[in-house]
Amino acid sequence: METHEAEANQVVVLGTGGTIAGTAADPGDNVGYQAAQLGVAQLVSAVPALAAVSLACEQVAQLDSKDMDFATWRQLAIRVAAHLAREDVAGVVITHGTDTLEETAYFLQRVLAPKKPVILTAAMRPATALQTDGPQNLLDAVAVAQDPQASGVLVVFAGVIHAAEQVRKAHSYRVDAFVSSDGARLGLVEEGQVRWVQGLGQARPGVGLEVLPTAAKDWPRVEILLNHVASDGRLVRALLAQSTDDKPGGLVVAGTGNGSLSQDLEAALREAQAQGVRVLRSTRCDAGPVTASADALPSAGALSPVKARVELILQLLNESKS
Ligand code: ASP
């Protein structure tokens, strides 16, 4: 159980790898590097201002987040929950790769729905770059983890505080790679000062650690499909034809615009539904929700396709436990 104590002042930094822990042979090289090379304690010691903060470090994983997996997700959620339950801990910071950071953020929010802050941060440039962004992002993340108003899973990147539900990586290369659309960014970090620009809102309860299977094979398979010119239902039908063990438990479709689908893709998805496969309709647009309608396939609301997939995985796990 999480406790909120007045004297809680320690921030725990959990390392998982990513470009923030990456190194390149040439300091001028921002792209030709190896992710996940430095330990989290090295990342912390590279930021002199953090010496004044009560910090503890733990290496939970060391990977490029393009390879993030269910076993690491489960272990990370367990470690976050264990640290948050300590009375002396004010919040947790997670260093992560940028590629799948938004999926991990949404996963942790929907599993734990923590009251204390859990801040994910990352870097677009390796630690060896001439102008690396990791140390400043880490310093800002620790400042938000200590802020009394901070709560839940947040992403701090390039001086901006984002909500787990809204944030997306929107640029492949620039150092301000993350956005929250529809004016949803929560705050800014300015020279170590946190300035909130809107309230955090009410979080839904988390599904809890108990629903997460130990074995990766026991996590439901949920695939993402895309509507586009001349799309049809053949991929969906190929998935439905798989053996029982491989058949997906759910499908997310990234529709065009407000979740629209070609006639044959929609027909195939309705066949999937009729066979017990759960379907969620998202959009391939960068912003905006898919409005729900009684005669359409279920909407994923404002969740992006990758977050709708996380949501569906957790819903399926939650239902199979109850
Ligand atoms: N591929 C890297 C990762 O996600 C990219 C990054 O961290 O910026 O781990």
Side-chain angles (χ1 to χ4, degrees):
M1 215 27 214
E2 254 182 81
T3 53
H4 254 307
E5 291 294 316
E7 70 273 16
N9 66 354
Q10 189 173 83
V11 175
V12 179
V13 186
L14 302 179
T16 70
T19 295
I20 192 167
T23 56
D26 173 3
D29 194 345
N30 288 328
V31 290
Y33 60 86
Q34 236 5 91
Q37 299 301 302
L38 303 177
V40 63
Q42 285 170 282
L43 304 186
V44 167
S45 61
V47 187
L50 289 180
V53 180
S54 168
L55 279 186
C57 296
E58 182 179 323
Q59 196 75 44
V60 175
Q62 187 64 302
L63 44 74
D64 186 317
S65 80
K66 70 182 175 55
D67 297 317
M68 183 53 76
D69 54 45
F70 292 142
T72 308
W73 262 5
R74 180 170 179 274
Q75 183 59 14
L76 184 59
I78 289 171
R79 295 312 298 148
V80 169
H83 287 296
L84 293 182
R86 289 170 39 203
E87 288 184 2
D88 58 331
V89 168
V92 169
V93 168
I94 301 170
T95 57
H96 199 284
T98 59
D99 286 346
T100 59
L101 178 144
E102 68 212 62
E103 292 172 62
T104 299
Y106 188 70
F107 167 76
L108 291 173
Q109 176 61 35
R110 288 292 290 122
V111 172
L112 301 174
K115 290 201 172 51
K116 290 182 185 177
V118 175
I119 316 295
L120 283 95
T121 196
M124 288 299 283
R125 294 178 179 165
T128 48
L130 287 175
Q131 273 199 318
T132 183
D133 51 333
Q136 185 68 53
N137 285 342
L138 182 54
L139 185 61
D140 290 349
V142 172
V144 179
Q146 294 175 301
D147 189 273
Q149 281 186 59
S151 174
V153 181
L154 305 170
V155 172
V156 171
F157 204 87
V160 179
I161 309 169
H162 302 269
E165 207 156 300
Q166 285 291 332
V167 67
R168 296 179 191 214
K169 185 174 180 180
H171 202 282
S172 60
Y173 179 73
R174 289 173 57 92
V175 289
D176 58 344
F178 285 83
V179 298
S180 283
S181 42
D182 293 337
R185 67 185 189 171
L186 297 175
L188 302 162
V189 190
E190 297 159 334
E191 295 298 302
Q193 299 301 309
V194 179
R195 177 158 64 95
W196 298 98
V197 294
Q198 60 182 303
L200 294 178
Q202 196 63 38
R204 284 178 288 166
V207 296
L209 289 171
E210 319 73 52
V211 308
L212 306 179
T214 318
K217 68 170 182 41
D218 295 332
W219 289 61
R221 179 176 178 194
V222 175
E223 297 292 345
I224 300 177
L225 301 136
L226 189 69
N227 192 53
H228 47 73
V229 168
S231 83
D232 58 32
R234 279 183 291 180
L235 267 179
V236 174
R237 294 187 183 103
L239 287 167
L240 296 180
Q242 299 225 280
S243 65
T244 319
D245 280 353
D246 287 336
K247 195 167 154 178
L251 295 173
V252 169
V253 63
T256 26
N258 189 11
S260 62
L261 304 170
S262 77
Q263 289 180 17
D264 192 44
L265 180 54
E266 174 156 359
L269 289 166
R270 288 191 185 278
E271 288 160 32
Q273 261 195 328
Q275 292 183 31
V277 176
R278 291 276 292 280
V279 176
L280 267 187
R281 203 166 41 95
S282 178
T283 174
R284 65 179 223 190
C285 291
D286 291 340
V290 167
T291 50
S293 122
D295 51 1
L297 287 162
S299 154
L303 294 178
S304 65
V306 290
K307 288 185 197 169
R309 174 175 175 269
V310 176
E311 179 65 34
L312 201 39
I313 288 170
L314 292 176
Q315 281 180 16
L316 289 166
L317 287 173
N318 201 24
E319 287 160 20
S320 71
K321 284 274 167 178
S322 48

